[in-house]
Amino acid sequence: MTSKITVLVVEDEALLRMNTVEELTDQGLEVVEAANAREAIAIFQSGKRFECLFTDVDMPGDVDGLELATMVKDAWPPIEVIVTSGHRNVTHDDLPPRGVFVGKPYSLDTVGDLIRRLTAAGEQFHA
């Protein structure tokens, strides 16, 4: 039996975050949530293992989602990173290595499939 893929969802809009967590959990993923980048960093530093970070770009506070994605990828290179925004045009150069951008609005079925594909590729890559 394989273990569940654990994803940290970082989204400051509470209703969108709750919906995302519920939908991804229903798809069989283990989901932890954070309302901003500082909260996400504290969760990562707690020692919990994650396979994927799914973060919004525009959030209140001194660290945005792109900075968070880079910090996480630098500290924990095996973690897959998916960045989303409905307001910014994010290019490949804005993302950390192997980072993926998904524009809002997005399909949570598509996001779930992307998480599974990225983490499966990462397991093969790191084996």
Side-chain angles (χ1 to χ4, degrees):
M1 183 173 150
T2 59
S3 60
K4 281 190 176 184
I5 298 166
T6 305
V7 180
L8 179 59
V9 171
V10 187
E11 171 61 63
D12 63 306
E13 294 180 36
L15 292 177
L16 181 54
R17 184 176 65 248
M18 289 187 313
N19 184 56
T20 300
V21 168
E22 182 179 336
E23 290 286 328
L24 293 178
T25 300
D26 287 351
Q27 292 181 38
L29 302 171
E30 182 178 334
V31 184
V32 177
E33 62 185 283
N36 58 56
R38 290 289 173 200
E39 192 177 308
I41 292 166
I43 291 169
F44 273 110
Q45 290 175 336
S46 75
K48 182 159 179 63
R49 183 174 181 266
F50 292 89
E51 286 75 36
C52 188
L53 167 67
F54 180 52
T55 183
D56 188 22
V57 172
D58 297 309
M59 294 180 285
D62 58 341
V63 178
D64 72 15
L66 291 171
E67 292 168 311
L68 172 65
T70 299
M71 292 166 65
V72 166
K73 200 65 170 169
D74 286 348
W76 299 278
I79 294 174
E80 301 302 333
V81 173
I82 303 171
V83 175
T84 186
S85 178
H87 305 291
R88 281 209 215 166
N89 183 19
V90 176
T91 68
H92 181 74
D93 291 337
D94 297 325
L95 298 168
R98 294 192 347 257
V100 177
F101 175 73
V102 176
K104 288 183 181 178
Y106 48 75
S107 154
L108 285 166
D109 288 336
T110 300
V111 171
D113 289 343
L114 179 59
I115 291 168
R116 284 186 284 282
R117 279 198 326 268
L118 289 172
T119 56
E123 286 172 12
Q124 293 168 1
F125 180 78
H126 296 291

